[in-house]
Amino acid sequence: MEEITALAKRRGFIFQSSEIYGGIGGFFDYGPLGALLKRNVKDAWWREMVELRDDVVGFDSSIIMHPNTWIASGHVAAFHDKLVDCRNCKHRFRADHLATLEKCPDCGMSGTLTEPRNFNLMMKTAIGPMEDSASQAYLRPETAQGIFVNFKNIYQSARKRPPFGIAQIGKSFRNEITPGNFTFRVREFEQAELEYFVPDDGNDMPVYEAWVAARKQWYSDYGVRAERLRFYELPPQERPHYARAGTDVEYLFPWGWGELESIAHRGTYDLEAHMQLSGKDLMFFDEASKSKYTPILIESSAGMDRTTLTMLIDAYEHETIAADDGKISQRVVLRFHPRIAPVQVAVFPLARNKPDLVERAQNIEKALRPRFRTQYDEGNVGQLYRRQDEIGTPCCIMVDFQSVDDGAVTVRDRDSMKQDRVAQDQLASYLAQRLSG
Ligand code: ATP
């Protein structure tokens, strides 16, 4: 993990937030490559969950909502973690992360931990110039509630009827007691949530199961190693009382299994809670039968920062390679799926002091740019390849002296390191095929 954190900083994937002021716990910034990687992960989710389906519509709600939202959802009353302090070393813990309350895991003293007390995880802010209780609001701790309170606006304007879904990607905030494990547990993060509404006609469990299968397929399509992924079916005692089924998608991080996503059958709980407090009707009115009902909800809630971190960790490999002449060397390579790799194609001239080669390489990069995420670079050939391997670029194009004569270039594959000679006019179709994943 230390190697990955160092690489993330060195190559510009992830930086600590406000580093020049000593950082701030639980917040991170994405550098140029990290911003691209995260955007590609979000686009991959959006493409699959919204664009390629005719039964899901997109949505984007505000981060700050009416405070009653969080009363109805149960977050004001119950979005707590149990907080424990050590009176000796002053460290804080989440009670459910401790094996025992007898002994502090950090300083080892016995009898110094306080009784667990409730700590609400919602971040507060104030609206307008007066900071009194009337102006108090919350930064949303999840994006889903924006969808629920807009259910009627959306199904009416989009002319949708259950079964159909509403998807949203956006920032959420939680005042985590113990942020940590790099970007795994942070206080500001992005969620990708799908709320899928189905009629209460007895077909809800097959729909839930189909969503679990669809999400499994998504992780597999993007190459997440099957042996590091598990789908944990929650037994009834681990689910909220209203949930009829639930599955946690977990990844085997260097520190152990951690949740990436939760998929849940939530019954009619959420819409009913908002109808009760707002007094507004959020039932679905079926024009055909002139009847109305509260649809059942199947939810998939995935963390985009955790998924991006997973892609980074899963792609990381430190390998020893033997050259044809028997020389042994080491390389670090990120084996990103080509569709999420920040850079897909890098183009170099064999020598940077040969204007012919430089110009040709620059023109190739420019010509490929509208179709692929490209980068032009120049310098020592070995170092160029090493840098592109470290940022996970699937294809590198080398323009050499022969290229000037025969109009062909060398394309090197990141994973096998095999090189193909490809005619310049065939390059775009060759790359399209190689990068389609
Ligand atoms: P945990 O048990 O790890 O605190 P949770 O069960 O509270 O997570 P959910 O409320 O189910 O999480 O949120 C859905 C998803 O949002 C999680 O699976 C995770 O990917 C993401 N998520 C939740 N909290 C955080 C956080 N503090 N930092 C990063 N991602 C988070």
Side-chain angles (χ1 to χ4, degrees), residues 3 31 42 58 152 177 181 210 227 234 320 323 340 385 426:
E3 280 180 37
K42 289 191 289 182
K152 198 169 182 177
I177 295 170
N181 288 330
E227 69 275 15
L234 298 174
T320 304
I340 62 159
Y385 282 140
Q426 299 295 313

Side-chain angles (χ1 to χ4, degrees), residues 230-306:
R230 73 179 183 196
F231 286 71
Y232 173 67
E233 236 176 86
L234 298 174
Q237 66 273 19
E238 290 183 32
R239 308 196 291 253
H241 64 90
Y242 47 81
R244 287 185 215 166
T247 300
D248 282 352
V249 183
E250 297 181 336
Y251 182 77
L252 185 56
F253 288 98
W255 57 87
W257 291 98
E259 180 187 313
L260 289 182
E261 167 174 353
S262 90
I263 307 167
H265 179 311
R266 297 180 58 86
T268 53
Y269 179 83
D270 304 280
L271 289 177
E272 271 167 6
H274 286 297
M275 284 195 275
Q276 206 167 26
L277 189 66
S278 68
K280 296 286 177 347
D281 185 6
L282 295 175
M283 292 168 102
F284 176 73
F285 180 72
D286 187 356
E287 289 287 350
S289 62
K290 302 285 179 221
S291 62
K292 59 183 189 173
Y293 64 91
T294 308
I296 283 176
L297 175 67
I298 313 292
E299 175 182 80
S300 146
S301 174
M304 291 293 96
D305 303 78
R306 284 187 187 178

Side-chain angles (χ1 to χ4, degrees), residues 140-289:
R140 67 181 176 198
E142 60 176 37
T143 64
Q145 301 300 326
I147 294 179
F148 303 145
V149 303
N150 277 287
F151 174 66
K152 198 169 182 177
N153 282 338
I154 298 170
Y155 88 71
Q156 286 183 338
S157 58
R159 297 186 299 118
K160 289 285 177 198
R161 51 182 297 137
F164 86 99
I166 305 170
Q168 146 155 259
I169 300 180
K171 289 261 182 176
S172 292
F173 300 80
R174 296 184 188 179
N175 213 349
E176 295 282 352
I177 295 170
T178 48
N181 288 330
F182 204 27
T183 54
F184 178 80
R185 186 172 302 286
V186 285
R187 292 178 166 133
E188 172 179 342
F189 53 97
E190 268 185 281
Q191 288 182 312
E193 297 198 291
L194 167 85
E195 309 299 334
Y196 198 79
F197 300 92
V198 295
D200 194 357
D201 59 5
N203 198 34
D204 46 316
M205 281 310 287
V207 173
Y208 162 79
E209 279 149 20
W211 273 112
V212 174
R215 295 302 300 144
K216 245 184 212 173
Q217 188 61 46
W218 188 86
Y219 290 101
S220 150
D221 286 349
Y222 286 91
V224 178
R225 297 176 214 216
E227 69 275 15
R228 293 193 193 162
L229 201 63
R230 73 179 183 196
F231 286 71
Y232 173 67
E233 236 176 86
L234 298 174
Q237 66 273 19
E238 290 183 32
R239 308 196 291 253
H241 64 90
Y242 47 81
R244 287 185 215 166
T247 300
D248 282 352
V249 183
E250 297 181 336
Y251 182 77
L252 185 56
F253 288 98
W255 57 87
W257 291 98
E259 180 187 313
L260 289 182
E261 167 174 353
S262 90
I263 307 167
H265 179 311
R266 297 180 58 86
T268 53
Y269 179 83
D270 304 280
L271 289 177
E272 271 167 6
H274 286 297
M275 284 195 275
Q276 206 167 26
L277 189 66
S278 68
K280 296 286 177 347
D281 185 6
L282 295 175
M283 292 168 102
F284 176 73
F285 180 72
D286 187 356
E287 289 287 350
S289 62

Side-chain angles (χ1 to χ4, degrees), residues 129 145 187 256 264 331 338 350 417:
Q145 301 300 326
R187 292 178 166 133
R331 74 163 180 163
L350 181 65
M417 295 189 293

